[in-house]
Amino acid sequence: MTERIPVLRIGGVLLVSIQTDLEDQSVLNLQEDLAARIVETGAHGVVIDITALEIVDSFVGRMLATTASISRLLDAETVLVGMRPAVAITLVELGLSLGGVRTALSLEKGLALLGSAGAGRSR
């Protein structure tokens, strides 16, 4: 059985904290769960915390970009937080672009980015 990654709500923002290595099915489940929660809650932002990830591969990089694209289509901005230097270097070396994904060093800074982005919304 594939473990599901919790999607928590903090006001108008959804928080996803990835604490385990991602398998194909868990990524698909996360994308479905996150899309459903955005629609259900009307969230304007998504924070994906990858602090626990020590390494990434092209699969995880593509998953992050795809998840952000899905969120954007549903009118929610994505901020990726907690990226380690080695992860950033790996993503660059793999030639992966996280277009449309803002980054922040910490959860606090990520929430601040979304707070200012969602200040003008009327949800």
Side-chain angles (χ1 to χ4, degrees):
M1 183 172 159
T2 303
E3 189 174 324
R4 293 186 99 85
I5 299 170
V7 179
L8 306 174
R9 182 178 180 185
I10 303 172
V13 175
L14 298 177
L15 173 62
V16 177
S17 183
I18 300 173
Q19 299 293 317
T20 62
D21 290 334
L22 297 171
E23 300 171 1
D24 292 359
Q25 189 58 49
S26 63
V27 169
L28 295 173
N29 291 342
L30 173 60
Q31 290 174 340
E32 288 179 15
D33 293 346
L34 185 58
R37 291 280 291 168
I38 290 170
V39 171
E40 173 188 313
T41 63
H44 68 81
V46 174
V47 174
I48 300 176
D49 180 6
I50 61 168
T51 305
L53 296 182
E54 294 185 18
I55 58 170
V56 295
D57 56 16
S58 60
F59 171 73
V60 173
R62 282 194 312 274
M63 178 279 304
L64 294 171
T66 301
T67 302
S69 295
I70 292 168
S71 299
R72 191 171 40 255
L73 286 173
L74 295 172
D75 198 25
E77 183 179 1
T78 299
V79 178
L80 192 63
V81 302
M83 186 180 300
R84 295 172 184 239
V87 170
I89 291 168
T90 301
L91 288 174
V92 170
E93 288 176 348
L94 290 172
L96 293 173
S97 171
L98 298 176
V101 180
R102 298 174 77 181
T103 58
L105 291 178
S106 67
L107 176 60
E108 183 179 22
K109 289 181 178 180
L111 289 172
L113 278 175
L114 290 173
S116 62
R121 294 186 178 208
S122 60
R123 289 185 180 180

